[in-house]
Amino acid sequence: MADRYIEPETPELRARWGGFAFTPAWEAKAKEAISHYPEGRQKSAVMALLDIAQRQVGEETQTQGWLPIPVMEYVARYLDMPVIRVVEVATFYTMYNLVPVGRFHVQVCGTTPCWLRGSDEVMATCKKRGMSKGHTTDDGMWTLTEVECMGNCSSAPMVQINDDNYEDLTGERLDAILDALAEGQTPKAGTQEPGRHTVEPVGGPTTLTAMVDANHDYRGEW
């Protein structure tokens, strides 16, 4: 999330987004999401539809997407829900952007494991490129947010950029990723540590070593 306040409604915002409706392609995804729920429970698809709406906004604006109030109103009408219920969901979950964001939303984890592993260097790299927390760069390319744990502690430090996680970062590695994105390339997601595939121990396991090649039963040894 770029910030946790809702973008204030203005006549300009209403004029731009007041006529929002799903395109045929995105509506097909919305209907498919609704179909997962039994009759009478269609409102349970609200999270999926907010995500679909945000992605359509992103497609139209060439950004990561966000949820203007008129778009949330549209989702409410689509699911026959009170608008406040939709807003409650959108404001609770940080996967939804409530203010405009850039083409790339850079979310830096600053929680303890990432901090101990160098998230300050990662954040400094972002700032050297003109990013500041809670803001979008003037060229509309980057939005920077500091977030809490995103579950990649074993491969810290990490950032999430749009839908991808990048892990085992250094300032230099992040610079290379940002350069590639800016040039329209698709850098490798996941760990950036050479030779590492997921979050297996770097250098090999130091405990339960007999489990490497077989399902070893340690119980008799304990």
Side-chain angles (χ1 to χ4, degrees):
M1 229 307 290
D3 218 327
R4 290 322 291 163
Y5 65 85
I6 297 176
E7 182 75 0
E9 185 172 348
T10 63
E12 292 77 17
L13 183 139
R14 177 65 60 177
R16 173 64 180 87
W17 297 108
F20 178 88
F22 288 136
T23 63
W26 289 110
E27 184 163 36
K29 294 179 184 293
K31 289 182 176 179
E32 196 273 335
I34 292 171
S35 73
H36 294 175
Y37 299 95
E39 188 63 32
R41 299 289 183 178
Q42 287 76 20
K43 295 179 179 64
S44 298
V46 62
M47 289 189 67
L49 264 65
L50 283 171
D51 180 66
I52 289 166
Q54 178 167 278
R55 290 176 187 275
Q56 181 176 321
V57 170
E59 185 178 81
E60 293 181 15
T61 59
Q62 292 300 294
T63 68
Q64 205 233 345
W66 66 293
L67 292 171
I69 280 289
V71 173
M72 289 191 268
E73 291 172 347
Y74 173 79
V75 171
R77 291 194 302 272
Y78 201 94
L79 292 173
D80 192 25
M81 294 176 66
V83 174
I84 186 59
R85 298 301 184 201
V86 175
V87 173
E88 286 172 346
V89 173
T91 55
F92 183 82
Y93 293 100
T94 58
M95 63 187 280
Y96 303 117
N97 300 319
L98 305 180
V99 298
V101 295
R103 181 178 174 191
F104 298 106
H105 188 183
V106 181
Q107 300 180 75
V108 179
C109 178
T111 311
T112 305
C114 279
W115 175 67
L116 290 171
R117 294 274 294 168
S119 66
D120 283 351
E121 180 184 353
V122 170
M123 185 65 76
T125 297
C126 294
K127 291 181 177 180
K128 285 178 183 177
R129 300 176 74 102
M131 302 183 211
S132 59
K133 288 192 290 186
H135 297 281
T136 300
T137 54
D138 291 341
D139 61 4
M141 182 72 77
W142 315 103
T143 298
L144 177 63
T145 307
E146 183 174 3
V147 297
E148 296 304 316
C149 183
M150 292 193 284
N152 291 93
C153 306
S154 296
S155 50
M158 63 84 64
V159 303
Q160 179 178 329
I161 305 177
N162 292 2
D163 289 333
D164 288 317
N165 287 353
Y166 300 91
E167 307 151 31
D168 287 315
L169 291 173
T170 62
E172 183 179 357
R173 289 173 180 176
L174 179 59
D175 254 335
I177 291 167
L178 297 176
D179 283 341
L181 290 170
E183 293 169 5
Q185 301 173 15
T186 304
K188 172 186 173 291
T191 178
Q192 305 298 303
E193 183 68 30
R196 198 178 196 194
H197 301 291
T198 53
V199 290
E200 71 278 8
V202 175
T206 57
T207 61
L208 304 181
T209 54
M211 293 288 285
V212 172
D213 300 314
N215 187 20
H216 182 75
D217 188 348
Y218 281 91
R219 288 176 295 180
E221 302 170 31
W222 295 341

